[in-house]
Amino acid sequence: INAEYGKLPKLEQLNITNCTHITQKCTKALSKLSHLKKLILSECEKLNDTMIGWFALKKMVLHKLDISSCTQLTNLSLQDLAPYAYEMKSLNLDFCSNIGDESMIVFVQSAGALKKLSVRGNRALQPRITDKSLMKIGACCKSLTSLYLRGLNLSDQGLKSIFVSCLKLQILDVGFCSNMTNVSADSLINCTDLRELQLEGCFQVTKACINKIVSHCRNLTRVGFAGCAVDDKIVSDLLEGKFHIFEALILAGCAEITDVSVRKIAQCKKLRFLNLRNCDKVTAPAIFRLARSCTTLELLHVIKSPNITDSDIEILKGILMHTLFPKSTDSV
């Protein structure tokens, strides 16, 4: 590292994802790259607070930082970097399970220029971010255009503070934020610039509320509704006037979806991704028609169901022989 990066004093972007042998000596060398603006250290499992401290010591002003899945990092790292976050545009803290409110609140107070923030989690690895952080993000980061909160244990209070303050949001992922209800979801109607919305697993958000969101957020072209209370009317309203631009729709487990929706979806001329797993009312003939109509499809999820047999799936594979399918014996 010392030998090679010393030859690149004006290096502005660096990606060393999954560098399993990163050491303090490495980060000390990297901290000398005074022109560095974008740094990706994702999945560097040995990265620790002391190593990050070198960037703070050199007062490095980054525009993009990705330390996702660096599970040894704690609040200390984010606090050390906070004074130099005033030009930060993108921050990824996915699965950083030892980072929480204490440092996030300090950091976002300096990061008013932030446009993209990702703090996704799962059952095993979840950033300790609560409503306290979300309220501070809503107050300080009003320029946010992309926000990823998938899998976090958040309540309506924090989510609502985002939806009424960050009105420039274009991408929002609150999938599997299972505590979310209509109390906060109703406020999504303020985010009229939304292009992508992921609501998978938000089981407490009602059909009426989803319909209201769809009616107000007319720029949506990529949507995830897996497991939600979605019916044919909502799909029809969602696609109305957007058949020429709509790209992706996840309806897995939406039990009320029928061939009526499939016929509507088949009119989408730029559809790339569609998930209809466990939509048991959908029939094979409707899927066949869609497959022939949507020539831009890259990924289609369908599994065996009461109205779709193994033979139907084989026929569908033939129709979409140039389409990428999941590697499963009972699905495409």
Side-chain angles (χ1 to χ4, degrees), residues 38 52 68 120 159 161 233 238 253 284-285:
K38 297 180 181 180
I52 288 292
S68 57
R120 295 176 298 176
L159 291 167
S161 69
K233 182 184 183 304
L238 174 66

Side-chain angles (χ1 to χ4, degrees), residues 85-90 110-116 140-141 143-144:
Y86 49 86
E87 291 186 13
M88 185 76 72
K89 301 293 193 300
S90 175
S110 301
L114 201 63
K115 291 185 176 297
K116 179 180 179 180
C140 299
C141 304
S143 295
L144 272 178

Side-chain angles (χ1 to χ4, degrees), residues 150-152 173-181 198-205 210 224-230 250-254:
R150 175 173 291 255
L152 296 190
D173 184 353
V174 287
F176 301 99
C177 292
S178 55
N179 294 327
M180 181 178 178
T181 74
Q198 303 299 332
L199 280 177
E200 297 103 311
C202 296
F203 308 116
Q204 297 190 64
V205 180
I210 293 174
F225 282 147
C228 293
V230 172
I250 301 173
L251 295 170
C254 295

Side-chain angles (χ1 to χ4, degrees), residues 296-308:
T296 57
L297 265 178
E298 297 175 19
L299 184 63
L300 172 63
H301 283 266
V302 179
I303 64 172
K304 183 180 177 181
S305 70
N307 290 309
I308 299 175

Side-chain angles (χ1 to χ4, degrees), residues 98-110:
N98 291 311
I99 290 179
D101 289 336
E102 181 182 341
S103 59
M104 178 63 80
I105 290 171
V106 173
F107 188 90
V108 298
Q109 285 176 340
S110 301

Side-chain angles (χ1 to χ4, degrees), residues 243-255:
F243 295 114
H244 62 298
I245 57 172
F246 204 86
E247 296 181 357
L249 184 56
I250 301 173
L251 295 170
C254 295

Side-chain angles (χ1 to χ4, degrees), residues 64-307:
K64 176 178 180 177
L65 177 63
D66 184 343
I67 49 176
S68 57
S69 299
C70 295
T71 53
Q72 289 195 42
L73 296 181
T74 73
N75 285 323
L76 183 60
S77 287
L78 217 54
Q79 288 170 334
D80 284 348
L81 294 172
Y84 316 107
Y86 49 86
E87 291 186 13
M88 185 76 72
K89 301 293 193 300
S90 175
L91 177 65
N92 191 328
L93 300 173
D94 291 350
F95 313 114
C96 290
S97 53
N98 291 311
I99 290 179
D101 289 336
E102 181 182 341
S103 59
M104 178 63 80
I105 290 171
V106 173
F107 188 90
V108 298
Q109 285 176 340
S110 301
L114 201 63
K115 291 185 176 297
K116 179 180 179 180
L117 176 62
S118 189
V119 283
R120 295 176 298 176
N122 56 32
R123 289 182 180 178
L125 295 171
Q126 185 171 129
R128 292 179 289 179
I129 301 301
T130 71
D131 293 337
K132 292 180 181 179
S133 287
L134 260 61
M135 287 187 283
K136 184 60 70 173
I137 292 167
C140 299
C141 304
K142 297 183 183 296
S143 295
L144 272 178
T145 58
S146 302
L147 181 60
Y148 302 84
L149 302 171
R150 175 173 291 255
L152 296 190
N153 186 26
L154 302 168
S155 79
D156 286 319
Q157 183 182 16
L159 291 167
K160 186 173 182 177
S161 69
I162 294 290
F163 305 156
V164 299
S165 301
C166 300
L167 304 183
K168 296 182 181 180
L169 279 174
Q170 296 180 17
I171 299 175
L172 176 65
D173 184 353
V174 287
F176 301 99
C177 292
S178 55
N179 294 327
M180 181 178 178
T181 74
N182 290 356
V183 172
S184 58
D186 269 337
S187 297
L188 278 171
I189 64 173
N190 297 295
C191 304
T192 54
D193 286 343
L194 278 175
R195 267 64 171 172
E196 178 176 337
L197 175 62
Q198 303 299 332
L199 280 177
E200 297 103 311
C202 296
F203 308 116
Q204 297 190 64
V205 180
T206 66
K207 186 186 300 183
C209 183
I210 293 174
N211 196 44
K212 185 177 178 181
I213 294 167
V214 166
S215 299
H216 284 78
C217 301
R218 297 307 304 161
N219 293 307
L220 288 169
T221 59
R222 299 182 300 277
V223 177
F225 282 147
C228 293
V230 172
D231 59 13
D232 292 331
K233 182 184 183 304
I234 288 176
V235 172
S236 178
D237 290 347
L238 174 66
L239 299 178
E240 187 65 36
K242 292 183 283 189
F243 295 114
H244 62 298
I245 57 172
F246 204 86
E247 296 181 357
L249 184 56
I250 301 173
L251 295 170
C254 295
E256 296 183 50
I257 295 300
T258 73
D259 288 351
V260 173
S261 286
V262 178
R263 287 193 290 270
K264 284 284 187 179
I265 297 167
Q267 299 177 50
C268 296
K269 303 304 179 184
K270 293 188 177 181
L271 190 68
R272 297 169 58 205
F273 305 103
L274 178 62
N275 190 330
L276 293 171
R277 293 172 69 96
N278 298 318
C279 294
D280 290 346
K281 293 182 180 180
V282 171
T283 67
I287 294 291
F288 295 161
R289 286 192 292 271
L290 180 143
R292 293 187 178 100
S293 298
C294 297
T295 57
T296 57
L297 265 178
E298 297 175 19
L299 184 63
L300 172 63
H301 283 266
V302 179
I303 64 172
K304 183 180 177 181
S305 70
N307 290 309

